Amino acid sequence: MRRSQLFIKTRREAPADEEARNAQLLIRAGYIHKEMAGVYSYFTLGKAVLENVSTIIREEMNAIGGNEVLMSTLQNKEIWEITNRWDDKQVDNWFKSRLVSGAEVGIGFTHEEPLTNGLKHFVSSYKDLPVYAYQIQTKFRNELRAKNGLLRGREFLMKDLYSYSRNEQEHKEFYEKVAAAYLKIFKRLGFAEDITYRTFASGGVFTEFSDEFQILSHVGEDTIFLDKAKKLAINKEVYADEILVKLGLNKADLVEEKAVEVGNIFSLGSKYSDALGLVYVDDQGRQKSILMGCYGIGVSRLMGLIAEHFADDKGLVWPVNIAPFKVYLASLGNDPKVIEGAESAYTSLTRSGVGVIYDDRALATAGEKLVDADLMGIPGRIVISDKTVEQGVVELKLRTSDEAQLIPNNDLAGTLEKLLQD
RNA sequence: CGGGGUGUGGCGCAGCUCGGUAGCGCGCACCGUUCGGGACGGUGAGGUCGGCGGUUCAAAUCCGCCCACCCCGACCA
């Protein structure tokens, strides 16, 4: 994409109404726009990052048998009354509205009820199970207080997966598959394995514990106690001596850390399926309950955490596979030979399928272009100038390095890909 | 929801204590000089000071109510 066609403009200063570093940087670099507290829009670059994060999640969900769906945002009150989750006394973070007729509708904060209800049309026999369905969709939760930029909003992008299994064993197997897939996802998103912890947390009504996936970070809202050797952690909310004994954790081995909850998996038993009448008939003709699980990942929260986690004093630093573009191509000066060189590099990179943003702004100074490349956090930076044109090379610098190198013009894409690999 | 803070052109701020008809930087437009780390000079456009009400000859400035935003706490199946 040409920078001249990108409508956003970067800013020198952080907005006064954001304290969170992730929001400050994402706004300064033009990725997101704040609409109101806890509500953000995603402009071109931000949208691309969300897509890239989503793609990784989608690939791993598909790999374990997930069906991607897209559930409605507007919710029919009737099915939520059946499970007793419509009442504001039961669920206090609903956004609700009304049809012109006066009928109440909800704005979805999760989707167990509608999905379970919808599956009644397709599931009746043991042959129809198990079912794994997930979506990447905007959720709405009327939080008492939004904070921390993208880390806690009232509207946010979430991946939610729901499993429907025939028995406990089948459920447990899938549950563990999801747990493994989650660890894979966080690793692919660039988080080191030693800062990601599967964490015991309160389980709610159905099981004693649920599993949270926590990534260590000073901006975390959660406090966890972790056992580095065992790669396990326990959330402060359930931390107690008898629980430690039960989990086989030794108090002396635990370290207290702040962490961000990026995923959470729950066993739901048959509460919702039974209530909504989603059951199956086994091979003996007996009617059986279906066991459910739900598995969430905060997609936009992850984007915020990645921004926060990798940023340096010059701005954002995206891991290669989630950056909106692989390389920032900047032409310095308006010498026709430089323009020609930059245009040809742009064409050849684009043809090779390398995502490139080409800063072709004739009126921008060299400094502005270089500063923007850093602020936007694009992994690679290619500079075309008088000097490079003379030598028949281009200058390449990685965002994470201080040193530039000159590389030959031919096979630009190949060299670049190789360098970005490491 | 309790406590604290803030609200002045697109953005960041000063002015408010001691009322007297709005200022700086960035950005934007035009001209010229520049062009490897957010260039420089000149000219110019753009706000009626979060909203409503009150006090006063006069309100960004004083008083009241409301709204929004930020931080801490509570909360976050």
Side-chain angles (χ1 to χ4, degrees), chain A residues 15 34 55 64 92 171 174 184 212 284 291 352 356 365 400:
Chain A
K34 184 185 205 160
T55 296
I64 56 172
D92 62 7
H171 167 72
F174 185 71
K184 224 167 156 183
E212 292 176 343
Q284 309 291 316
L291 299 179
S352 308
V356 49
T365 61
T400 50

Side-chain angles (χ1 to χ4, degrees), chain A residues 113-182:
Chain A
E113 279 81 349
L115 180 62
T116 302
N117 192 245
L119 284 179
K120 287 198 288 189
H121 293 280
F122 309 106
V123 173
S124 44
S125 153
Y126 70 96
K127 296 172 188 166
D128 303 322
L129 291 167
V131 168
Y132 308 126
Y134 75 96
Q135 62 175 341
I136 295 172
Q137 191 243 21
T138 302
K139 293 284 184 285
F140 298 85
R141 294 187 186 176
N142 204 345
E143 298 283 350
L144 251 43
R145 182 183 157 208
K147 56 176 172 178
N148 259 326
L150 256 36
L151 300 187
R152 178 169 296 282
R154 298 201 166 91
E155 173 179 334
F156 54 94
L157 195 63
M158 179 171 170
K159 185 284 299 178
D160 43 328
L161 164 71
Y162 304 91
S163 67
Y164 298 81
S165 303
R166 287 172 284 207
N167 54 55
E168 190 57 41
Q169 190 198 336
E170 190 172 78
H171 167 72
K172 198 62 199 163
E173 275 172 20
F174 185 71
Y175 188 92
E176 288 305 319
K177 263 192 189 176
V178 176
Y182 273 28

Side-chain angles (χ1 to χ4, degrees), chain A residues 67-123:
Chain A
N67 288 241
E68 185 167 10
V69 301
L70 181 60
M71 304 299 293
S72 69
T73 296
L74 294 183
Q75 297 295 310
N76 181 349
K77 148 182 164 178
E78 287 181 14
I79 59 173
W80 293 86
E81 281 176 335
I82 294 170
T83 56
N84 195 222
R85 289 216 287 180
W86 179 257
D87 193 335
D88 290 332
K89 289 190 202 79
Q90 302 300 320
V91 175
D92 62 7
N93 61 6
W94 266 114
F95 277 107
K96 291 176 181 174
S97 187
R98 283 180 188 281
L99 301 179
V100 177
S101 67
E104 282 186 294
V105 291
I107 297 174
F109 67 98
T110 186
H111 286 264
E112 285 85 359
E113 279 81 349
L115 180 62
T116 302
N117 192 245
L119 284 179
K120 287 198 288 189
H121 293 280
F122 309 106
V123 173

Side-chain angles (χ1 to χ4, degrees), chain A residues 111-326:
Chain A
H111 286 264
E112 285 85 359
E113 279 81 349
L115 180 62
T116 302
N117 192 245
L119 284 179
K120 287 198 288 189
H121 293 280
F122 309 106
V123 173
S124 44
S125 153
Y126 70 96
K127 296 172 188 166
D128 303 322
L129 291 167
V131 168
Y132 308 126
Y134 75 96
Q135 62 175 341
I136 295 172
Q137 191 243 21
T138 302
K139 293 284 184 285
F140 298 85
R141 294 187 186 176
N142 204 345
E143 298 283 350
L144 251 43
R145 182 183 157 208
K147 56 176 172 178
N148 259 326
L150 256 36
L151 300 187
R152 178 169 296 282
R154 298 201 166 91
E155 173 179 334
F156 54 94
L157 195 63
M158 179 171 170
K159 185 284 299 178
D160 43 328
L161 164 71
Y162 304 91
S163 67
Y164 298 81
S165 303
R166 287 172 284 207
N167 54 55
E168 190 57 41
Q169 190 198 336
E170 190 172 78
H171 167 72
K172 198 62 199 163
E173 275 172 20
F174 185 71
Y175 188 92
E176 288 305 319
K177 263 192 189 176
V178 176
Y182 273 28
L183 290 175
K184 224 167 156 183
I185 288 166
F186 302 129
K187 188 180 173 188
R188 286 184 66 188
L189 290 174
F191 293 107
E193 287 174 87
D194 64 351
I195 62 165
T196 306
Y197 282 85
R198 179 166 171 176
T199 303
F200 289 101
S202 61
V205 221
F206 315 101
T207 50
E208 188 168 9
F209 301 109
S210 69
D211 289 284
E212 292 176 343
F213 290 82
Q214 298 272 3
I215 292 181
L216 303 188
S217 168
H218 63 282
V219 296
E221 294 176 21
D222 287 27
T223 302
I224 64 174
F225 295 89
L226 52 96
D227 184 324
K228 287 183 178 166
K230 290 188 177 139
K231 286 276 317 159
L232 280 180
I234 175 170
N235 195 306
K236 193 173 188 176
E237 68 189 26
V238 294
Y239 181 84
D241 288 342
E242 62 270 26
I243 304 279
L244 292 184
V245 171
K246 196 173 292 180
L247 297 175
L249 291 171
N250 192 338
K251 209 168 194 169
D253 300 332
L254 299 179
V255 184
E256 182 175 343
E257 296 277 7
K258 286 284 178 195
V260 174
E261 181 187 341
V262 290
N264 193 336
I265 63 181
F266 270 91
S267 292
L268 298 178
S270 61
K271 179 181 177 181
Y272 299 112
S273 46
D274 282 346
L276 290 159
L278 181 72
V279 293
Y280 76 101
V281 174
D282 71 8
D283 58 2
Q284 309 291 316
R286 295 170 302 203
Q287 195 173 70
K288 291 275 188 67
S289 284
I290 293 176
L291 299 179
M292 288 176 61
C294 73
Y295 316 81
I297 289 183
V299 179
S300 48
R301 174 180 282 183
L302 271 168
M303 173 175 167
L305 180 60
I306 293 166
E308 187 96 36
H309 186 77
F310 295 102
D312 63 16
D313 56 346
K314 289 181 180 156
L316 296 164
V317 181
W318 297 109
V320 174
N321 55 349
I322 43 189
F325 294 99
K326 296 277 180 283

